[in-house]
Amino acid sequence: DCVRESGTVSRFGGDEFVVLVEGLSADAAQASDEVALVTSTIATTLGKPYVLGELSHHSTPSIGIAMFGQQLFTVDELLKHADLAMYQAKADGRNTQRFFNPDMQAAASSRAALEADLRRGLQEEELVLFYQPIVDGNGRLQGAEGLVRWRHPRKGLVSPDEFIPIAEQTGMILPLGQWVLKAACAQLVVWSRSASTRDLFLSVNVSVRQFRQPDFVERVLGALDASGANPERLKIELTESLLMVDVEDVIARMEHLRRYGVGFSLDDFGTGYSSLSYLKRLPIDQLKIDQGFVRHLQTDSNDAAIVRTILALAQSLDLNVVAEGVETTGQLDFLKRHGCRSFQGYLFGRPMPAEMLERALRPVL
Ligand code: C2E
Ligand code: MG
Ligand code: MG
């Protein structure tokens, strides 16, 4: 009903449908408008509620559009274009429509190349764990956060922002995360041998997908056991996004690990959807204030208010707080004044190789 007489509608498989719209204007811009009209009619029609028995159901169709005419494409190419555009629509929040453009193709190709490269890098042991100091109000080292880097043979040191998202999408975060756990445990064992490092804790970032794998708890315990690292020195950093589904299961897993002494920290706090009632029930011992709030602490009164509120909240829930991204003494003073006791940021040190952190601790003779 949504397309004209000349339109062809087909079911492509599963929940995918292809609509071929013909007889559009020869003018490209006008043709696009005509198609957009057809697709929004389709979206509105499909988006109406479906009453099945007692319940009303909703559908949120994502539509990708590939235009063709002057230029010749094979059928496969055209479908690929429509597919890429549809995935873009999904990525942009679903229930929306996107036109294919060549940038999507370029992005998809470079993603695929990066994925293959990362798979290789992981195998060739090109990943390294850096350590960023976490200090108390007097600048004394309390522990460190392990942050992964990729020592790429050609590109040099690659930041996690460039490959963690891809690793998440492709599932490579699982072997990668396991590698990080193993490296962190090995480092804890090294630290346990010296009086100056014995009491340090080490935080590792664990992504949602990694935490949700069925045997996550066993994997952590396995890594601790195999290395002989002290579980009480290990902290796991999780983000609020983990709390979107099945919180009971999340809590059960955390409690299981906690029985062995493993600690938990809520990373980037304040940027996600925090439910305060969950916060009360979560077996965490630490919140990390996101660096986004710390950055403009002294110039943005909203950020300052949020930071003060987080600190007050943490205090009443008996949680320790680490302020992330502390770069200036002004920020540090403000944070201290409002009750913050732990700090991480360039003011105290960037993420660095373990040897550098240890060298800084060695007493000068
Ligand atoms: P994050 O866990 O919130 O880590 C803090 C990030 O802030 C780090 O970036 C750190 O270098 C940066 N940072 C620390 N102090 C300052 C400062 O004073 N100023 C500024 N501008 N930045 C500061 P990095 O190392 O690039 O890591 C980025 C993110 O990548 C991490 O955010 C974390 O979400 C993710 N990531 C890193 N390593 C791992 C890992 O092993 N596993 C997983 N799943 N994610 C990781
Ligand atoms: Mg972190
Ligand atoms: Mg953070």
Side-chain angles (χ1 to χ4, degrees), residues 61-338:
S62 301
I63 303 179
I65 307 162
M67 305 288 288
F68 65 106
Q70 250 55 331
Q71 244 177 310
L72 288 179
F73 295 107
T74 65
V75 173
D76 282 344
E77 280 170 331
L78 263 181
L79 285 171
K80 182 91 199 151
H81 291 176
D83 209 39
L84 281 168
M86 183 195 65
Y87 275 104
Q88 190 60 54
K90 277 189 199 282
D92 292 346
R94 296 164 190 273
N95 208 15
T96 180
Q97 304 150 45
R98 289 290 175 266
F99 280 88
F100 169 78
N101 73 50
D103 291 347
M104 291 176 185
Q105 182 101 57
S109 311
S110 83
R111 254 202 316 273
L114 183 60
E115 182 192 342
D117 202 18
L118 182 57
R119 206 175 289 282
R120 183 199 53 76
L122 201 57
Q123 229 155 43
E124 312 265 317
E125 308 206 7
E126 289 172 6
L127 295 184
V128 278
L129 205 53
F130 272 30
Y131 301 86
Q132 186 175 30
I134 297 174
V135 303
D136 69 12
N138 299 317
R140 264 197 24 183
L141 198 65
Q142 297 178 317
E145 175 175 5
L147 292 157
V148 71
R149 302 286 183 265
W150 181 8
R151 248 190 239 290
H152 195 279
R154 202 161 27 80
K155 297 183 199 157
L157 212 56
V158 183
S159 128
D161 288 333
E162 286 180 50
F163 61 88
I164 291 284
I166 295 274
E168 293 261 10
Q169 283 164 28
T170 56
M172 248 187 299
I173 194 71
L174 302 183
L176 191 156
Q178 193 62 29
W179 178 87
V180 169
L181 267 174
K182 212 174 124 201
C185 287
Q187 191 59 52
L188 279 173
V189 171
V190 172
W191 284 353
S192 72
R193 297 196 187 114
S194 151
S196 60
T197 48
R198 187 170 299 153
D199 297 327
L200 299 180
F201 69 82
L202 180 51
S203 285
V204 290
N205 295 281
V206 166
S207 68
V208 175
R209 193 158 173 182
Q210 191 187 350
F211 188 87
R212 288 209 176 274
Q213 59 185 328
D215 57 351
F216 176 72
V217 169
E218 288 73 28
R219 282 173 178 276
V220 176
L221 294 177
L224 284 163
D225 210 36
S227 61
N230 180 357
E232 302 201 347
R233 302 264 74 89
L234 182 69
K235 240 190 240 316
I236 290 181
E237 292 192 8
L238 301 169
T239 53
E240 292 156 288
S241 51
L242 193 69
L243 306 174
M244 304 275 283
V245 262
D246 209 353
V247 186
E248 300 308 322
D249 177 58
V250 172
I251 294 178
R253 284 170 186 229
M254 291 170 77
E255 273 169 354
H256 191 156
L257 285 170
R258 226 177 131 91
R259 282 201 287 278
Y260 290 82
V262 177
F264 287 94
S265 176
L266 212 48
D267 201 1
D268 305 338
F269 187 73
T271 57
Y273 302 91
S274 287
S275 152
L276 296 183
S277 59
Y278 284 144
L279 194 60
K280 200 177 57 181
R281 290 188 48 215
L282 283 179
I284 50 171
D285 31 49
Q286 188 177 75
L287 293 182
K288 298 187 82 170
I289 306 182
D290 190 68
Q291 47 181 291
F293 301 120
V294 174
R295 190 166 303 133
H296 301 123
L297 204 60
Q298 291 175 287
T299 48
D300 185 323
S301 58
N302 288 330
D303 285 349
I306 291 172
V307 168
R308 279 200 310 269
T309 308
I310 294 177
L311 285 165
L313 176 75
Q315 195 160 37
S316 54
L317 291 174
D318 204 18
L319 296 169
N320 156 261
V321 178
V322 177
E324 289 190 283
V326 181
E327 294 185 352
T328 67
T329 48
Q331 292 164 343
L332 177 65
D333 291 341
F334 179 99
L335 288 159
K336 273 188 184 170
R337 234 182 310 125
H338 292 94

